[in-house]
PDB file of all heavy atoms in Angstrom:
ATOM      1  N   LEU N 696     -45.232-164.030 -42.641  1.00 93.00           N
ATOM      2  CA  LEU N 696     -46.651-163.915 -42.097  1.00 93.00           C
ATOM      3  C   LEU N 696     -47.362-165.183 -42.676  1.00 93.00           C
ATOM      4  O   LEU N 696     -47.645-165.118 -43.972  1.00 93.00           O
ATOM      5  CB  LEU N 696     -47.290-162.589 -42.582  1.00 93.00           C
ATOM      6  CG  LEU N 696     -46.650-161.416 -41.910  1.00 93.00           C
ATOM      7  CD1 LEU N 696     -47.446-160.126 -42.470  1.00 93.00           C
ATOM      8  CD2 LEU N 696     -46.880-161.451 -40.341  1.00 93.00           C
ATOM      9  N   PHE N 697     -47.638-166.171 -41.959  1.00 93.00           N
ATOM     10  CA  PHE N 697     -48.193-167.284 -42.545  1.00 93.00           C
ATOM     11  C   PHE N 697     -49.655-167.476 -41.831  1.00 93.00           C
ATOM     12  O   PHE N 697     -49.705-167.847 -40.702  1.00 93.00           O
ATOM     13  CB  PHE N 697     -47.347-168.726 -42.362  1.00 93.00           C
ATOM     14  CG  PHE N 697     -46.430-168.767 -43.423  1.00 93.00           C
ATOM     15  CD1 PHE N 697     -45.323-167.980 -43.578  1.00 93.00           C
ATOM     16  CD2 PHE N 697     -46.697-169.796 -44.303  1.00 93.00           C
ATOM     17  CE1 PHE N 697     -44.522-168.055 -44.601  1.00 93.00           C
ATOM     18  CE2 PHE N 697     -45.697-169.996 -45.388  1.00 93.00           C
ATOM     19  CZ  PHE N 697     -44.739-169.089 -45.526  1.00 93.00           C
ATOM     20  N   PHE N 698     -50.751-167.115 -42.593  1.00 89.00           N
ATOM     21  CA  PHE N 698     -52.043-167.233 -42.052  1.00 89.00           C
ATOM     22  C   PHE N 698     -52.808-168.432 -42.611  1.00 89.00           C
ATOM     23  O   PHE N 698     -54.032-168.455 -42.425  1.00 89.00           O
ATOM     24  CB  PHE N 698     -52.782-165.976 -42.373  1.00 89.00           C
ATOM     25  CG  PHE N 698     -52.322-164.661 -41.725  1.00 89.00           C
ATOM     26  CD1 PHE N 698     -51.985-163.534 -42.396  1.00 89.00           C
ATOM     27  CD2 PHE N 698     -52.010-164.711 -40.389  1.00 89.00           C
ATOM     28  CE1 PHE N 698     -51.478-162.442 -41.831  1.00 89.00           C
ATOM     29  CE2 PHE N 698     -51.490-163.610 -39.688  1.00 89.00           C
ATOM     30  CZ  PHE N 698     -51.184-162.410 -40.353  1.00 89.00           C
ATOM     31  N   GLU N 699     -52.051-169.388 -43.063  1.00 86.00           N
ATOM     32  CA  GLU N 699     -52.497-170.680 -43.406  1.00 86.00           C
ATOM     33  C   GLU N 699     -51.477-171.726 -42.957  1.00 86.00           C
ATOM     34  O   GLU N 699     -50.353-171.393 -42.874  1.00 86.00           O
ATOM     35  CB  GLU N 699     -52.775-170.876 -44.941  1.00 86.00           C
ATOM     36  CG  GLU N 699     -53.901-170.202 -45.472  1.00 86.00           C
ATOM     37  CD  GLU N 699     -54.135-170.616 -46.976  1.00 86.00           C
ATOM     38  OE1 GLU N 699     -53.185-170.632 -47.869  1.00 86.00           O
ATOM     39  OE2 GLU N 699     -55.222-170.795 -47.473  1.00 86.00           O
ATOM     40  N   PRO N 700     -51.960-172.983 -42.658  1.00 80.00           N
ATOM     41  CA  PRO N 700     -51.037-174.069 -42.173  1.00 80.00           C
ATOM     42  C   PRO N 700     -49.985-174.305 -43.333  1.00 80.00           C
ATOM     43  O   PRO N 700     -50.269-174.342 -44.419  1.00 80.00           O
ATOM     44  CB  PRO N 700     -51.919-175.252 -41.987  1.00 80.00           C
ATOM     45  CG  PRO N 700     -53.307-174.645 -41.765  1.00 80.00           C
ATOM     46  CD  PRO N 700     -53.417-173.441 -42.545  1.00 80.00           C
ATOM     47  N   ILE N 722     -44.390-165.344 -37.993  1.00 85.00           N
ATOM     48  CA  ILE N 722     -45.671-165.115 -37.353  1.00 85.00           C
ATOM     49  C   ILE N 722     -46.805-165.882 -37.841  1.00 85.00           C
ATOM     50  O   ILE N 722     -46.947-165.877 -39.109  1.00 85.00           O
ATOM     51  CB  ILE N 722     -46.005-163.584 -37.358  1.00 85.00           C
ATOM     52  CG1 ILE N 722     -44.912-162.780 -36.733  1.00 85.00           C
ATOM     53  CG2 ILE N 722     -47.381-163.304 -36.626  1.00 85.00           C
ATOM     54  CD1 ILE N 722     -44.947-161.339 -36.880  1.00 85.00           C
ATOM     55  N   SER N 723     -47.622-166.604 -37.166  1.00 77.00           N
ATOM     56  CA  SER N 723     -48.706-167.188 -37.587  1.00 77.00           C
ATOM     57  C   SER N 723     -50.059-166.547 -37.087  1.00 77.00           C
ATOM     58  O   SER N 723     -49.998-165.672 -36.194  1.00 77.00           O
ATOM     59  CB  SER N 723     -48.667-168.759 -37.093  1.00 77.00           C
ATOM     60  OG  SER N 723     -49.023-168.711 -35.669  1.00 77.00           O
ATOM     61  N   LYS N 724     -51.109-166.963 -37.794  1.00 65.00           N
ATOM     62  CA  LYS N 724     -52.356-166.270 -37.367  1.00 65.00           C
ATOM     63  C   LYS N 724     -52.719-166.436 -35.879  1.00 65.00           C
ATOM     64  O   LYS N 724     -53.116-165.552 -35.268  1.00 65.00           O
ATOM     65  CB  LYS N 724     -53.455-166.794 -38.330  1.00 65.00           C
ATOM     66  CG  LYS N 724     -54.887-166.204 -37.921  1.00 65.00           C
ATOM     67  CD  LYS N 724     -55.858-166.732 -38.999  1.00 65.00           C
ATOM     68  CE  LYS N 724     -57.330-166.199 -38.693  1.00 65.00           C
ATOM     69  NZ  LYS N 724     -58.264-166.693 -39.730  1.00 65.00           N
ATOM     70  N   LYS N 725     -52.457-167.770 -35.377  1.00 65.00           N
ATOM     71  CA  LYS N 725     -52.776-168.089 -34.086  1.00 65.00           C
ATOM     72  C   LYS N 725     -51.970-167.307 -32.971  1.00 65.00           C
ATOM     73  O   LYS N 725     -52.464-167.099 -31.825  1.00 65.00           O
ATOM     74  CB  LYS N 725     -52.666-169.604 -33.853  1.00 65.00           C
ATOM     75  CG  LYS N 725     -53.733-170.451 -34.489  1.00 65.00           C
ATOM     76  CD  LYS N 725     -53.412-171.910 -34.295  1.00 65.00           C
ATOM     77  CE  LYS N 725     -54.433-172.653 -34.950  1.00 65.00           C
ATOM     78  NZ  LYS N 725     -54.291-174.199 -34.674  1.00 65.00           N
ATOM     79  N   SER N 727     -50.619-164.244 -33.531  1.00 59.00           N
ATOM     80  CA  SER N 727     -50.669-162.713 -33.810  1.00 59.00           C
ATOM     81  C   SER N 727     -51.801-162.082 -33.242  1.00 59.00           C
ATOM     82  O   SER N 727     -52.707-162.739 -32.770  1.00 59.00           O
ATOM     83  CB  SER N 727     -50.513-162.527 -35.333  1.00 59.00           C
ATOM     84  OG  SER N 727     -51.854-162.896 -35.921  1.00 59.00           O
ATOM     85  N   VAL N 729     -53.985-160.800 -34.911  1.00 59.00           N
ATOM     86  CA  VAL N 729     -55.060-160.993 -35.846  1.00 59.00           C
ATOM     87  C   VAL N 729     -56.335-161.609 -35.018  1.00 59.00           C
ATOM     88  O   VAL N 729     -57.499-161.419 -35.165  1.00 59.00           O
ATOM     89  CB  VAL N 729     -54.720-161.850 -36.999  1.00 59.00           C
ATOM     90  CG1 VAL N 729     -55.973-162.311 -37.812  1.00 59.00           C
ATOM     91  CG2 VAL N 729     -53.801-161.013 -37.829  1.00 59.00           C
ATOM     92  N   LEU N 735     -54.769-157.596 -41.302  1.00 84.00           N
ATOM     93  CA  LEU N 735     -53.524-158.028 -42.018  1.00 84.00           C
ATOM     94  C   LEU N 735     -52.549-156.874 -42.167  1.00 84.00           C
ATOM     95  O   LEU N 735     -51.361-156.879 -41.970  1.00 84.00           O
ATOM     96  CB  LEU N 735     -53.781-158.728 -43.237  1.00 84.00           C
ATOM     97  CG  LEU N 735     -52.605-159.077 -44.112  1.00 84.00           C
ATOM     98  CD1 LEU N 735     -51.740-160.085 -43.502  1.00 84.00           C
ATOM     99  CD2 LEU N 735     -53.118-159.588 -45.522  1.00 84.00           C
ATOM    100  N   THR N 738     -50.951-155.495 -39.033  1.00 85.00           N
ATOM    101  CA  THR N 738     -49.928-156.534 -38.710  1.00 85.00           C
ATOM    102  C   THR N 738     -48.587-156.327 -39.507  1.00 85.00           C
ATOM    103  O   THR N 738     -47.594-156.073 -38.985  1.00 85.00           O
ATOM    104  CB  THR N 738     -50.292-157.946 -38.803  1.00 85.00           C
ATOM    105  OG1 THR N 738     -51.521-158.148 -37.984  1.00 85.00           O
ATOM    106  CG2 THR N 738     -49.283-158.961 -38.453  1.00 85.00           C
ATOM    107  N   VAL N 752     -45.656-163.459 -47.288  1.00 96.00           N
ATOM    108  CA  VAL N 752     -47.066-163.703 -46.795  1.00 96.00           C
ATOM    109  C   VAL N 752     -47.754-164.905 -47.478  1.00 96.00           C
ATOM    110  O   VAL N 752     -47.733-165.033 -48.703  1.00 96.00           O
ATOM    111  CB  VAL N 752     -47.876-162.343 -46.968  1.00 96.00           C
ATOM    112  CG1 VAL N 752     -48.005-162.040 -48.558  1.00 96.00           C
ATOM    113  CG2 VAL N 752     -49.329-162.527 -46.365  1.00 96.00           C
ATOM    114  N   ARG N 753     -48.397-165.649 -46.650  1.00 95.00           N
ATOM    115  CA  ARG N 753     -49.254-166.761 -47.131  1.00 95.00           C
ATOM    116  C   ARG N 753     -50.651-166.442 -46.508  1.00 95.00           C
ATOM    117  O   ARG N 753     -50.825-166.281 -45.356  1.00 95.00           O
ATOM    118  CB  ARG N 753     -48.864-168.170 -46.797  1.00 95.00           C
ATOM    119  CG  ARG N 753     -49.959-169.186 -47.044  1.00 95.00           C
ATOM    120  CD  ARG N 753     -49.505-170.610 -46.889  1.00 95.00           C
ATOM    121  NE  ARG N 753     -48.783-171.049 -47.984  1.00 95.00           N
ATOM    122  CZ  ARG N 753     -48.481-172.320 -48.392  1.00 95.00           C
ATOM    123  NH1 ARG N 753     -48.933-173.238 -47.564  1.00 95.00           N
ATOM    124  NH2 ARG N 753     -47.787-172.662 -49.366  1.00 95.00           N
ATOM    125  N   HIS N 754     -51.681-166.466 -47.475  1.00 94.00           N
ATOM    126  CA  HIS N 754     -52.994-166.087 -46.898  1.00 94.00           C
ATOM    127  C   HIS N 754     -54.088-166.783 -47.794  1.00 94.00           C
ATOM    128  O   HIS N 754     -53.802-167.074 -48.936  1.00 94.00           O
ATOM    129  CB  HIS N 754     -53.216-164.585 -47.078  1.00 94.00           C
ATOM    130  CG  HIS N 754     -54.317-163.931 -46.136  1.00 94.00           C
ATOM    131  ND1 HIS N 754     -55.511-164.008 -46.440  1.00 94.00           N
ATOM    132  CD2 HIS N 754     -54.113-163.276 -45.049  1.00 94.00           C
ATOM    133  CE1 HIS N 754     -56.228-163.448 -45.332  1.00 94.00           C
ATOM    134  NE2 HIS N 754     -55.452-162.967 -44.524  1.00 94.00           N
ATOM    135  N   SER N 755     -55.296-167.013 -47.154  1.00 90.00           N
ATOM    136  CA  SER N 755     -56.297-167.703 -47.801  1.00 90.00           C
ATOM    137  C   SER N 755     -57.050-166.939 -48.785  1.00 90.00           C
ATOM    138  O   SER N 755     -57.784-167.483 -49.591  1.00 90.00           O
ATOM    139  CB  SER N 755     -57.261-168.271 -46.794  1.00 90.00           C
ATOM    140  OG  SER N 755     -57.882-167.124 -45.980  1.00 90.00           O
TER     141      SER N 755
END
Side-chain angles (χ1 to χ4, degrees):
L696 291 179
F697 275 69
F698 294 129
E699 281 189 319
I722 300 170
S723 68
K724 182 177 180 179
K725 290 182 179 178
S727 74
V729 169
L735 172 65
T738 300
V752 60
R753 168 171 282 197
H754 205 281
S755 61

